[in-house]
Amino acid sequence: MKKILLILITGLLTSAAAFAQRDLNCYPVFRGKVVPERHMVVTEVRGAGLNTYKLDYYRGVKFQVDTAYAQKVAALVEADAANAASAEIERTGGLLTYALIQPKPSGKQNRYLCYQARSAGFGWTITLLYLEGSATLEDLRSMFDKQNNKE
């Protein structure tokens, strides 16, 4: 009985996080509707392991695409930036290459959409993250700076 209850609670929490993403233009990217899911590396983390980062939920997708698909994904991210509470974006040669977006609040959690496109020979490697938690923009910038210094 406890196992069934735990499965139900986990399912409800995952559904709540997925529901929070539905108001985003790039929701179809996370669902594998723009780039087939079989071509993506999908990471989803929830729970105590994220406490260090002041996050409760992390969903990331990474994939390689040609320029046409990169432009489709970038257009969705830019539409989210246009509707956001705040957004930082950078372009290279007309293509969106970086975005740190704070969508309008949905409940008590802070929400963030992070995007990066890097040139990869034939096309682009794109990383798209959706984050929820108490982290601030400054917390995220600090975390990303530490990650970049390790590379």
Side-chain angles (χ1 to χ4, degrees), residues 112-126:
Y112 301 99
L113 187 65
C114 308
Y115 168 89
Q116 183 180 52
R118 290 188 176 177
S119 180
F122 77 93
W124 299 88
T125 298
I126 295 178

Side-chain angles (χ1 to χ4, degrees), residues 2 15 34 56 63 65 70 83 106 133 139:
K2 287 183 182 180
S15 297
V34 177
D56 297 318
F63 47 86
V65 292
N83 296 322
S106 173
D139 292 330

